[in-house]
Amino acid sequence: MATKELSQYRIFQTQHEMEKAISTLHGMIQGMSCDRYFSPEEVSELKSWVECHKKQYHPEPLNSLLHLVSEALEDNKITQDEFDDICWACDKALKKEKAFDPSTIALQVLHGIMHGALADGYISDDEIGYLQNWIYDFDFLKGSYPYDELDSLITSILSDGKITSEERDILKAFFSDFALTDPNGMIKPEEINALKEKYCLTGICATCPEIIFSDHVFCFTGISSRCSRKDISEKVQELGGAYIDRVSNKIDYLIIGNNGNPCFAYSCYGRKVEQAVNMRKQGGKIILVHENDFWDEIE
């Protein structure tokens, strides 16, 4: 395509952008199909997403995938056969392309699943159950953002055997950070912004994390319910770890004090926590650990 012709397109997609779009598409249709039914709102959101991407210049195989989905959507529904064909085509494309490692692809798919689940404005039991199973199947992602955060949210929400409307709204607020919104889509910014303001989901601790002391660096924030910060530092060092007082890229674990600072309902706060969360969002491997899990690992 000539350079002059490219001017009508918004973006020239790189290999990385193309593969991310395929991974996201793969996740979106999984998220939308959790209840084995594509609602009119989900169909509309998928159409909007496809049209947005079709406005960009992109190479194969994304071009063929977008046409495949567009054809499936012509009758305003997605059948089981069409869903299977799209999943197969996405799988085939991702196995062929090599811009990202498997963990990155899996996290991009997870972003798409959350987008798909959010598309009709209601997080159903089936969608939550699907995500719970997905988390179990992809446990090699432990330590990654937002895998740990989603694992903690889902585990806590399902712990009492019932899902409230407030808990569904909390998931909507969390999912919205990973949905590629479009002005013509079904995900409405006004509602999402109101939920984000109501539920400040910052600093969610990992659920039952694996804690390795030898050759790993720890930091502590908050107030311990059991001992002094000096005692915690000494305990870490006795077990082969290192302890420092400031959050930095050297930190492997940030322990969240339990006294007066419950990690869940639904998150914990503070300057060090905010620093750690920002590092995780940028791909850092720092893990937020509730003090209870820290002591459980030691005792």
Side-chain angles (χ1 to χ4, degrees):
M1 182 176 290
T3 303
K4 184 178 180 180
E5 293 177 302
L6 282 174
S7 63
Q8 64 183 298
Y9 294 91
R10 293 188 302 153
I11 301 173
F12 180 89
Q13 278 196 319
T14 66
Q15 183 77 4
H16 287 81
E17 290 171 322
M18 180 189 72
E19 289 190 31
K20 183 177 180 180
I22 295 172
S23 300
T24 303
L25 172 63
H26 197 188
M28 279 182 65
I29 60 170
Q30 291 179 60
M32 292 175 176
S33 69
C34 291
D35 53 5
R36 298 167 295 281
Y37 168 71
F38 283 83
S39 70
E41 293 83 4
E42 289 169 335
V43 169
S44 294
E45 178 66 13
L46 190 54
K47 279 185 176 181
S48 174
W49 189 89
V50 169
E51 288 305 312
C52 179
H53 281 74
K54 284 175 71 175
K55 293 174 185 175
Q56 304 173 19
Y57 172 66
H58 39 72
E60 296 292 349
L62 180 57
N63 186 55
S64 295
L65 265 170
L66 292 175
H67 282 295
L68 176 65
V69 179
S70 296
E71 290 175 3
L73 290 167
E74 285 179 355
D75 58 358
N76 294 314
K77 61 182 180 180
I78 298 284
T79 66
Q80 183 63 49
D81 280 345
E82 289 167 337
F83 168 78
D84 290 341
D85 286 344
I86 295 168
C87 284
W88 178 84
C90 287
D91 276 331
K92 186 176 180 182
L94 291 172
K95 287 176 182 176
K96 181 179 179 182
E97 308 301 330
K98 300 294 183 183
F100 293 114
D101 60 81
S103 293
T104 301
I105 291 173
L107 289 170
Q108 290 170 350
V109 170
L110 177 58
H111 292 183
I113 294 172
M114 290 189 280
H115 185 160
L118 185 63
D120 63 358
Y122 181 77
I123 310 298
S124 70
D125 290 7
D126 286 332
E127 288 163 342
I128 294 172
Y130 183 90
L131 278 163
Q132 183 186 36
N133 290 330
W134 194 96
I135 288 167
Y136 178 81
D137 290 339
F138 287 81
D139 63 350
F140 68 89
L141 294 173
K142 281 185 176 179
S144 303
Y145 179 85
Y147 178 93
D148 287 348
E149 288 76 3
L150 180 62
D151 184 15
S152 186
L153 278 171
I154 296 289
T155 299
S156 191
I157 285 170
L158 295 177
S159 62
D160 61 358
K162 59 182 179 181
I163 306 170
T164 67
S165 59
E166 180 183 44
E167 288 169 335
R168 296 183 202 278
D169 282 345
I170 287 165
L171 287 176
K172 286 170 69 174
F174 183 76
F175 288 5
S176 67
D177 280 341
F178 311 98
L180 302 175
T181 56
D182 180 83
N184 299 315
M186 300 301 296
I187 301 173
K188 302 306 177 187
E190 301 82 12
E191 179 191 3
I192 293 302
N193 290 337
L195 289 174
K196 282 185 173 182
E197 188 172 335
K198 185 175 181 180
Y199 305 109
C200 184
L201 299 173
T202 303
I204 302 171
C205 290
T207 301
C208 300
E210 179 185 11
I211 302 175
I212 301 172
F213 288 91
S214 180
D215 299 322
H216 285 74
V217 181
F218 291 73
C219 184
F220 182 89
T221 187
I223 302 172
S224 172
S225 61
R226 297 183 50 164
C227 63
S228 69
R229 193 167 299 190
K230 182 175 181 293
D231 292 332
I232 292 174
S233 171
E234 291 174 351
K235 178 61 69 174
V236 166
Q237 293 175 69
E238 286 174 12
L239 295 168
Y243 182 90
I244 59 178
D245 280 323
R246 299 184 64 183
V247 173
S248 72
N249 289 326
K250 297 178 181 179
I251 298 291
D252 297 296
Y253 301 95
L254 177 62
I255 307 164
I256 312 295
N258 186 48
N259 191 17
N261 187 16
C263 181
F264 200 86
Y266 282 91
S267 56
C268 47
Y269 304 89
R271 177 176 54 82
K272 287 182 178 178
V273 171
E274 184 177 279
Q275 287 178 285
V277 170
N278 288 334
M279 288 178 187
R280 284 181 59 76
K281 288 180 178 179
Q282 294 166 14
K285 291 298 183 182
I286 185 170
I287 298 174
L288 276 64
V289 177
H290 193 283
E291 184 184 2
N292 291 346
D293 289 318
F294 173 77
W295 292 117
D296 285 345
E297 187 72 23
I298 292 174
E299 296 171 347

